[in-house]
Amino acid sequence: MFRLALRTLRFRKGGFAASFIALFFGAAIVMACGGLMETGIRDAVPPQRLANAPLVVASSQSFLERARVDSSLTARIAAVPGVAKAVPDISFPLSPLKNGASTGEAQGHAWASAELTPYTLRQGSAPAENNTVVLDEGVATATGQGVGGTVAFAVGGKSQEFRVAGIASAATDSGAVFFTDADATRLLGKSGKVDAIAVLPAAGVSLPDLQERLTAVIADGKLAVLAGDDRGRAEASAAVGGSDDLVALSAVFGGLAVMVAMFVVAGTLGLSVQQRHREMALLRAIGSTPGQLRRMILGETIVVAVLATALAYPLNLVLGEWLLKQLAGAGVTSEAIAFRQGWIPIAAGVGISLLSATIAAFVAGRGAALTRPTEALAEASLQVKWFSWVRLSFALLCLAGGTALSIVTALVMTGPVAASTAGPTAMLWASGLALLSPGITKVIIAVLRWPVRLVTGLSGYLAVMNSDARRVRVAGAITPVMLATGLATALIYLQTTSAGGTPGFADDLKADAAVTAQTGGVPLDLVSTIKAKPGVGAVSALVDSTVIFRAGEDNDDSATALGVTGDGVEGTLGLTPTAGRFADLTGTTVALTTDRADRLHHSLGDSVQLKMGDGANVDAKLVALYSGSGEETLLLPADLVAKHTTTGLASQILVGAADGTSASALITTLEGLSTTDPDLRVGDRESLISSGGGGGGEQTGAWVNYLLVGMILAYTVISLVNTLVIATGERRREFALQRLIGATHGQILRMVGVEAVLISLGGILLGAFVSAMTLIPFAYAVYGSPWPSGPLWIYLAVIGGASGLTLLSTVLSTTYVLRTPPVEAAATIS
């Protein structure tokens, strides 16, 4: 029968093409999501600038901010036997300027570290004097400066000029500017510290042995001797431990992709097999056994599935790398992390595709294989049997699971974290309804029968009669419409509801303007300069970081830390203390929300034990309490937070206008700052609110979710079109008989158009139920109200798009079928 299965592929190109498409895209999406998860788990950061250093000594701990190394350690490392040279390395952000405008971002280094890439001088000489630099070829081209020219940089929040001593290039790095050791240390602003120490071994020395000796000499648990891809973490500190969000995101959407893929593949293959009942009936009538038919169907399916998954592998690599690039660009993970995909995601994608295809083929072919030949011939053109106790049991299990998750979401989950159960909830409800869809379809047709006939006349009468007689096949078409509208509505409104229910600093923001820098950040001493400007009221720097509550403080572990200027908090951020004063936020102090302080059992004057972003321990005095801006945020003095960040700069400075000064006049005054420092930029209140007051985190999260949800929905739409085209192609003989008894092309197209409307309405109704059972519990968890938030046009666009696709796919495929002469079509087997 396997040989027969191979031969049938030649004569069933349409059905097998549909199955191939479903399997192909399903396997690619599942493998790509698996690759993203493995990428996050491996957290591989291949070295670029340190590629020529086999070993690198750097911090071993994962912190948001860079944890630096004492420069005095360089001499100790150089004295270790087997070390030819120890080279300290530092990096700091800067922006080359051309005619006062930024040409992009670059990194500053000391010239001594140029050999670690290695960089080679192409023109000029090394920087031997202060205020001289060597540019890489890319920076030289961008600034238009050559040897002997003068180039300006925005660095450390200020503009400074240097003479170009030379031009260099490298094969694995770009965007570098090299200074003298003294200038680099001054611009870094971290005296006595370096980012890492690169180790160049002597010839013939075993790297593993040298790594062990260096580890013993260092004898510091906070430092590590890195080799291989781990070296990249020394130059891209933000990548260390930065892939946790990637793992979580790929797990959530990978799981959803698996469920959708299995659903789509099973539905498409099932429908493809069902339309061959007449063929199966004839094979049974001429003596084929049920086992032979099952083996033939499984053989066909395995051939198509193996081919589809094999061809999906190259696409999965492209898709996985593209998704990683988009996620890195959105700030979900570091751009330095490399895409890594081993055999496990591949095996998972192949296994899921083959398993779902095999199960679907087995289930779909079982009925035809076991039915008696005479009964099969009678049922071949009109399937009416669908109910079984096994089907009902699985449907009830899915509906019970969906109900349980809905209850858990509403009563147990709190806040946006409730979204973690949304995907499984939607899929369980969709699966349960899909299993019962033939019975539900009968009810839907009965309800819509008279309204449709009243509005559409004879075409509607024929459409309703056809749909009622073919309700099992119609249910197969309604299911992908339900899946597309239900998932789209649920997942999109989950994001809008989550964003609407999460309070942030933008909700209370009073600042009228913000001063930012194109690269690197804004120096804290600019606060005093801005305060002295006319028309300026409150001023506060904002320094973003993360802190960890040390053991015994808080089970929640980490929290967002916002460095502020104490006396400007109320006039810019709009916060009001419930106890204490924000003006006392100086030195080593902290302000907590009242909820967090109660949970920690802290009161004013108590010491709060914190671990800062770079791993340093700080005991801060509690000087103020406030409420209404997110429990996970605490306020610290800006200079305290800045000391423990990578750059030591503020992300922005918020400015409120003084009484009697308009916002436009304030902005005009502040724009004068750019005349002395072209790197500075001034934004108005609208730009502040759109960025959330302190960054675009919510917008970034929304964009990422929409990207991944869009990918899954695109696959669901492919399934929708696939199913409708298969279902229409199956009716070639029916349409031919109608034409032979006098029906015109127009009458048939109007009839199938009304059928498409019925399918759309049925799918939209069931999809609305699926999304409601997902969104109502979630909205209750976020708001305490059953109504999700978000604009109505999103839902109208979803149902309009689904309806349009359904109608277009049905009418176009029918038009194609009608091209065949009726006598020829009527003579075909099916």
Side-chain angles (χ1 to χ4, degrees):
M1 295 304 289
F2 186 74
R3 183 180 301 175
L4 179 61
L6 290 176
R7 291 179 178 176
T8 59
L9 292 175
R10 298 170 53 193
F11 301 100
R12 295 287 179 183
K13 295 184 180 68
F16 289 122
S19 302
F20 175 87
I21 291 172
L23 287 162
F24 175 75
F25 285 105
I29 292 173
V30 172
M31 285 189 280
C33 289
L36 287 177
M37 178 178 285
E38 183 169 341
T39 296
I41 294 171
R42 288 193 181 190
D43 201 14
V45 187
Q48 302 294 324
R49 195 173 45 78
L50 302 178
N52 199 43
L55 298 174
V56 177
V57 177
S59 171
S60 63
Q61 300 182 9
S62 301
F63 299 113
L64 174 67
E65 312 292 350
R66 181 186 289 277
R68 292 186 164 85
V69 181
D70 288 335
S71 57
S72 59
L73 187 61
T74 305
R76 289 172 53 197
I77 292 174
V80 173
V83 175
K85 192 174 185 180
V87 182
D89 176 65
I90 58 175
S91 299
F92 51 89
L94 54 82
S95 176
L97 304 177
K98 182 178 182 180
N99 299 324
S102 172
T103 62
E105 294 188 17
Q107 290 288 318
H109 313 284
W111 173 250
S113 63
E115 64 179 308
L116 303 178
T117 308
Y119 271 88
T120 303
L121 272 173
R122 300 300 182 189
Q123 302 176 38
S125 60
E129 302 175 355
N130 288 340
N131 297 319
T132 59
V133 294
V134 169
L135 309 178
D136 87 353
E137 291 180 330
V139 176
T141 301
T143 58
Q145 295 296 327
V147 175
T150 300
V151 62
F153 299 104
V155 55
K158 299 177 181 178
S159 178
Q160 303 181 50
E161 292 187 346
F162 295 83
R163 182 176 63 83
V164 180
I167 307 294
S169 66
T172 60
D173 191 46
S174 62
V177 178
F178 294 96
F179 299 82
T180 62
D181 290 351
D183 277 344
T185 301
R186 173 178 60 84
L187 294 172
L188 178 66
K190 306 285 184 180
S191 180
K193 298 287 185 178
V194 295
D195 294 344
I197 301 172
V199 179
L200 302 178
V205 173
S206 168
L207 286 181
D209 292 343
L210 180 57
Q211 190 174 14
E212 289 183 7
R213 289 197 294 272
L214 287 170
T215 302
V217 169
I218 294 170
D220 188 341
K222 296 181 179 180
L223 300 178
V225 183
L226 308 177
D229 277 353
D230 290 341
R231 294 172 295 163
R233 302 181 184 184
E235 59 183 82
S237 62
V240 181
S243 58
D244 293 345
D245 289 342
L246 180 61
V247 173
L249 200 63
S250 58
V252 171
F253 285 96
L256 182 60
V258 168
M259 289 189 287
V260 172
M262 295 184 70
F263 201 97
V264 168
V265 168
T268 305
L269 276 168
L271 187 60
S272 179
V273 173
Q274 286 172 14
Q275 72 174 355
R276 299 171 60 190
H277 273 201
R278 177 177 292 273
E279 175 188 335
M280 302 298 175
L282 290 173
L283 288 173
R284 287 296 315 280
I286 62 175
S288 298
T289 66
Q292 288 176 320
L293 289 183
R294 283 196 295 267
R295 287 194 295 275
M296 182 188 74
I297 295 170
L298 289 174
E300 294 169 351
T301 302
I302 290 173
V303 170
V304 175
V306 169
L307 181 61
T309 52
L311 294 179
Y313 175 72
L315 175 63
N316 124 80
L317 294 175
V318 174
L319 180 61
E321 291 184 356
W322 181 81
L323 284 173
L324 179 63
K325 183 178 180 181
Q326 302 307 309
L327 295 175
V332 174
T333 189
S334 170
E335 295 183 355
I337 291 180
F339 184 74
R340 293 286 187 266
Q341 186 181 59
W343 66 269
I344 294 179
I346 306 300
V350 172
I352 289 168
S353 297
L354 292 178
L355 180 64
S356 57
T358 303
I359 293 175
F362 179 82
V363 172
R366 185 173 180 272
L370 296 180
T371 305
R372 294 174 182 175
T374 53
E375 294 177 0
L377 285 170
E379 292 181 7
S381 61
L382 191 64
Q383 183 186 3
V384 294
K385 293 182 179 179
W386 66 273
F387 180 83
S388 70
W389 289 107
V390 174
R391 183 169 188 153
L392 178 61
S393 299
F394 276 107
L396 292 177
L397 282 174
C398 290
L399 295 177
T403 302
L405 283 180
S406 295
I407 294 172
V408 168
T409 301
L411 302 181
V412 178
M413 299 290 191
T414 57
V417 73
S420 60
T421 58
T425 301
M427 286 306 304
L428 284 171
W429 280 107
S431 300
L433 293 179
L435 289 169
L436 300 176
S437 58
I440 299 173
T441 299
K442 184 175 182 179
V443 176
I444 292 175
I445 293 173
V447 171
L448 298 177
R449 178 187 305 272
W450 294 110
V452 169
R453 289 175 60 175
L454 182 65
V455 173
T456 58
L458 180 61
S459 298
Y461 174 79
L462 292 174
V464 170
M465 294 295 290
N466 267 331
S467 299
D468 192 28
R470 301 174 61 255
R471 64 176 180 273
V472 176
R473 307 290 174 86
V474 171
I478 285 177
T479 297
V481 179
M482 172 192 68
L483 191 64
T485 56
L487 279 182
T489 304
L491 296 177
I492 292 175
Y493 277 103
L494 278 171
Q495 179 61 46
T496 58
T497 302
S498 178
T502 305
F505 282 108
D507 297 335
D508 302 312
L509 201 63
K510 287 186 177 180
D512 297 296
V515 178
T516 59
Q518 294 182 82
T519 57
V522 185
L524 295 181
D525 58 15
L526 189 62
V527 170
S528 57
T529 302
I530 293 175
K531 283 183 177 180
K533 297 285 184 180
V536 171
V539 182
S540 178
L542 287 187
V543 186
D544 305 300
S545 189
T546 296
V547 299
I548 297 174
F549 288 90
R550 301 201 318 259
E553 282 285 350
D554 193 347
N555 292 330
D556 286 349
D557 195 19
S558 65
T560 300
L562 197 62
V564 296
T565 306
D567 59 5
V569 171
E570 294 184 56
T572 55
L573 292 175
L575 302 178
T576 302
T578 57
R581 301 191 314 152
F582 288 140
D584 292 333
L585 279 172
T586 59
T588 309
T589 55
V590 64
L592 302 176
T593 61
T594 53
D595 289 340
R596 186 182 286 278
D598 289 342
R599 195 169 72 240
L600 297 174
H601 306 292
H602 278 320
S603 56
L604 294 181
D606 288 349
S607 178
V608 181
Q609 297 181 339
L610 304 172
K611 186 182 289 292
M612 303 302 289
D614 61 351
N617 292 332
V618 168
D619 294 341
K621 180 182 178 182
L622 182 59
V623 297
L625 301 175
Y626 66 99
S627 62
S629 295
E631 187 181 345
E632 300 312 313
T633 302
L634 63 156
L635 306 181
L636 296 157
D639 55 353
L640 174 62
V641 178
K643 284 193 301 185
H644 300 285
T645 62
T646 301
T647 64
L649 302 172
S651 60
Q652 57 186 315
I653 296 177
L654 302 182
V655 185
D659 293 339
T661 302
S662 66
S664 58
L666 174 66
I667 291 173
T668 301
T669 299
L670 295 176
E671 285 175 342
L673 295 169
S674 61
T675 58
T676 56
D677 190 347
D679 189 47
L680 297 179
R681 293 292 182 269
V682 178
D684 58 14
R685 178 178 174 80
E686 284 69 26
S687 65
L688 275 172
I689 293 175
S690 66
S691 68
E698 288 181 5
Q699 289 75 14
T700 294
W703 183 89
V704 169
N705 285 337
Y706 290 145
L707 169 69
L708 296 175
V709 168
M711 180 182 70
I712 293 173
L713 291 179
Y715 178 54
T716 307
V717 167
I718 291 174
S719 163
L720 167 62
V721 175
N722 241 352
T723 301
L724 293 171
V725 170
I726 294 174
T728 305
E730 176 192 11
R731 303 172 65 185
R732 185 186 304 269
R733 189 169 181 270
E734 173 194 335
F735 294 153
L737 292 174
Q738 289 176 342
R739 291 161 66 191
L740 288 174
I741 63 174
T744 65
H745 281 220
Q747 288 173 324
I748 294 175
L749 288 175
R750 284 193 293 274
M751 178 190 73
V752 297
V754 176
E755 291 177 11
V757 172
L758 277 171
I759 291 170
S760 299
L761 289 174
I764 290 169
L765 288 173
L766 293 181
F769 183 81
V770 169
S771 59
M773 297 307 295
T774 304
L775 290 172
I776 291 175
F778 179 73
Y780 187 82
V782 174
Y783 289 119
S785 165
W787 302 108
S789 67
L792 179 62
W793 67 262
I794 294 178
Y795 182 67
L796 296 178
V798 168
I799 61 175
S803 301
L805 276 172
T806 303
L807 183 61
L808 187 64
S809 301
T810 303
V811 171
L812 288 181
S813 56
T814 302
T815 302
Y816 178 79
V817 167
L818 292 178
R819 293 172 58 187
T820 305
V823 175
E824 180 182 335
T828 59
I829 291 177
S830 57

